[in-house]
Amino acid sequence: MRIIVAGGDGFCGWPTALHLSARGHEVLIVDSLVRREWDRELGTDSLTDIAPIEDRVARWKEVSGREIGVAIGDLNDEEFVYRTLDGFRPEALVHYAEQRSAPYSMIDRSHAVFTQVNNVVGTLNLLFAIRELVPECHLIKLGTMGEYGTPNIDIEEGYITIEYKGRTDTLPYPKQPGSFYHLSKVHDSHNIMFACRTWGLRATDLNQGVVYNVETPETASDPVLTNRYDYDGVFGTALNRFIAQAASGNRITVYGRGGQTRGFIDIRDTVRCIELAALHPAEPGEMRVFNQFTEQWSVLQLGRLVERVARELGLKPELVHLENPRVEKESHYYNAANTRLRDLGLKPHLLTEETVERLLLIALENRDRIHPETFDPRVNWRRSRYR
Ligand code: NAD
Ligand code: USQ
């Protein structure tokens, strides 16, 4: 299959491009490399030393004999988008290429506006280009579990059947996102649903949970293929961040009471989910929604798990409850469906102490690269400015 991986230089996109290439698909990475610029803007860096994209694909060709194409450009540049889709004629397009940090979107007005324009306009450009150039192409779009928020009822996969005043309908599940970033994903979902309904496009919206771990068999096969690992207060996410904190002798920062419960997924399952979605495309006119996570954890449970495994390795982690910089429920009901990807054949890697230990060892190996001053949360949802 000819597959574009938009955002293929990023944390999820790079291992996905390798996974698909290793399985014989013809892959084109599309990326503006803007994520590397945000590191410079924030004074942050990947825990792991990541090679430039040109070196990455050159080494992949040496170790695998397979070629991955690269098109550097911005999805907000419509001419670039049209030219790229016209040249490659994708059968599937995996869309990861967005600003994905909730704190980054909450820094101030300009970061909120940038996030929504970057994400919503990029997706709109793809929808129009697909309609005009490759209407059969299956759009595989990364959404987020955070679109749903934390309602006091079970979360379904995208749609809910409601009986109201004697009538019944299946409608989009209500959305209560918790940041301007998460809102951008809701706006994307609406635009994609409209494009499928109106133009007959086919799309799968993958509402992914928080991704942890860093390696896949392909990224671990050579140092130049190493994947990105974010740990800072803006781009770092719950489990990976706690690991870097514990390994470097810094505090494990649970925000508030820590009862915030989310869906989590191992990066090795992320790449497999994308492949499963590509191999089983949506029908024309259909926007399918799959909840892409494998298990639920509260952040306090994760913090305690990291603390325990770190102690077994002889480290002296300290778990603290910080005043929550976000506005979110810290104790709530959470029960989300996630059967559709399993029905397609996903066999989850559930979180084990061995995985936590392996991640702690990776963090210890890269300890010199950690900038402790970037751990503290510097973005506050209430004040909306960066300090
Ligand atoms: P990332 O920031 O590591 O990668 C995103 C990539 O997209 C970067 O390489 C960046 O340069 C590129 N990009 C951004 N805007 C672009 C644009 N306008 N044009 C071209 N390229 C652009 O993010 P990630 O962690 O790999 O996440 C990938 C996707 O998965 C995102 O859409 C995110 O919302 C979603 N997601 C991520 C997680 C997670 O825990 N990491 C969880 C759920 C959903
Ligand atoms: N949290 C802490 N301590 C920390 C960091 C986070 O307690 O040091 C808490 C947050 O307050 C939140 C939870 O952990 O309650 C998750 O935060 P996160 O930063 O790990 O994840 P989030 O902001 O939700 O965003 C990440 C990705 C985003 C993706 C989302 C999936 O950055 O791209 O969409 O996970 S989901 O959470 O399902 O929406």
Side-chain angles (χ1 to χ4, degrees), residues 106-319:
M106 297 298 290
I107 291 175
D108 58 14
R109 186 206 63 86
S110 76
H111 288 81
V113 170
F114 170 79
T115 299
Q116 294 211 351
V117 172
N118 184 63
N119 296 0
V120 175
V121 174
T123 299
L124 272 174
N125 284 344
L126 285 177
L127 289 170
F128 274 89
I130 290 173
R131 177 184 77 152
E132 286 164 37
L133 298 166
V134 280
E136 287 299 311
C137 175
H138 176 207
L139 175 65
I140 300 169
K141 166 68 169 51
L142 270 291
T144 176
M145 285 301 292
E147 290 183 40
Y148 302 115
T150 51
N152 199 30
I153 57 170
D154 288 0
I155 294 172
E156 303 302 331
E157 302 202 54
Y159 300 90
I160 183 169
T161 301
I162 296 176
E163 207 187 302
Y164 183 65
K165 294 188 178 172
R167 302 183 67 82
T168 303
D169 204 353
T170 298
L171 298 166
Y173 194 94
K175 304 287 176 77
Q176 302 183 81
S179 73
F180 286 117
Y181 152 70
H182 288 96
L183 273 155
S184 75
K185 296 286 193 185
V186 175
H187 305 328
D188 282 342
S189 295
H190 286 141
N191 288 340
I192 297 167
M193 199 178 295
F194 177 79
C196 290
R197 194 170 66 228
T198 311
W199 303 333
L201 301 191
R202 52 172 99 218
T204 303
D205 202 3
L206 295 171
N207 283 341
Q208 185 168 238
V210 186
V211 184
Y212 65 86
N213 205 346
V214 61
E215 289 179 334
T216 61
E218 291 83 18
T219 68
S221 67
D222 187 287
V224 180
L225 303 179
T226 296
N227 195 21
R228 163 178 283 282
Y229 185 129
D230 295 314
Y231 66 86
D232 62 274
V234 177
F235 274 92
T237 54
L239 181 66
N240 281 7
R241 207 167 125 67
F242 296 160
I243 300 241
Q245 289 170 331
S248 59
N250 287 280
R251 304 175 307 170
I252 297 175
T253 56
V254 170
Y255 296 163
R257 278 183 286 172
Q260 302 91 307
T261 302
R262 301 286 183 269
F264 285 82
I265 182 167
D266 188 306
I267 187 89
R268 293 172 294 179
D269 291 337
T270 291
V271 301
R272 176 77 178 127
C273 289
I274 300 294
E275 184 192 2
L276 286 169
L279 294 175
H280 304 275
E283 294 299 323
E286 182 190 18
M287 184 181 95
R288 284 188 311 198
V289 183
F290 298 161
N291 290 346
Q292 184 167 310
F293 72 94
T294 58
E295 53 192 325
Q296 299 183 176
W297 289 84
S298 75
V299 291
L300 182 57
Q301 284 174 322
L302 286 181
R304 292 271 179 243
L305 173 67
V306 173
E307 191 183 32
R308 192 169 66 243
V309 180
R311 283 220 178 95
E312 284 163 15
L313 286 181
L315 297 164
K316 295 189 178 57
E318 185 200 355
L319 184 150

Side-chain angles (χ1 to χ4, degrees), residues 7 9-13 30-36 38 73-76 95-100 118 142-144 181 185 208-211 228 230 235 237:
D9 189 46
F11 167 60
C12 298
V30 174
D31 203 298
S32 62
L33 309 183
V34 67
R35 175 70 191 84
R36 294 177 187 246
W38 296 329
D74 189 335
L75 293 190
N76 279 236
H95 179 18
Y96 284 119
E98 297 202 328
Q99 191 301 97
R100 70 115 176 115
N118 184 63
L142 270 291
T144 176
Y181 152 70
K185 296 286 193 185
Q208 185 168 238
V210 186
V211 184
R228 163 178 283 282
D230 295 314
F235 274 92
T237 54

Side-chain angles (χ1 to χ4, degrees), residues 1-105:
M1 206 181 271
R2 282 193 310 284
I3 308 183
I4 285 183
V5 180
D9 189 46
F11 167 60
C12 298
W14 174 240
T16 301
L18 295 181
H19 180 85
L20 295 172
S21 173
R23 278 146 194 85
H25 299 291
E26 194 183 329
V27 176
L28 175 71
I29 286 177
V30 174
D31 203 298
S32 62
L33 309 183
V34 67
R35 175 70 191 84
R36 294 177 187 246
E37 264 172 48
W38 296 329
D39 269 343
R40 287 188 281 275
E41 174 195 347
L42 299 168
T44 54
D45 202 356
S46 166
L47 170 74
T48 48
D49 192 6
I50 52 171
I53 186 72
E54 299 78 14
D55 298 359
R56 284 176 151 186
V57 293
R59 181 57 58 87
W60 175 243
K61 191 169 177 199
E62 283 165 17
V63 302
S64 71
R66 297 178 192 281
E67 203 148 341
I68 293 180
V70 177
I72 304 297
D74 189 335
L75 293 190
N76 279 236
D77 172 355
E78 70 275 17
E79 278 178 26
F80 166 75
V81 172
Y82 275 66
R83 198 170 57 242
T84 305
L85 266 64
D86 204 14
F88 189 71
R89 316 295 300 182
E91 293 157 275
L93 194 157
V94 183
H95 179 18
Y96 284 119
E98 297 202 328
Q99 191 301 97
R100 70 115 176 115
S101 157
Y104 190 90
S105 76

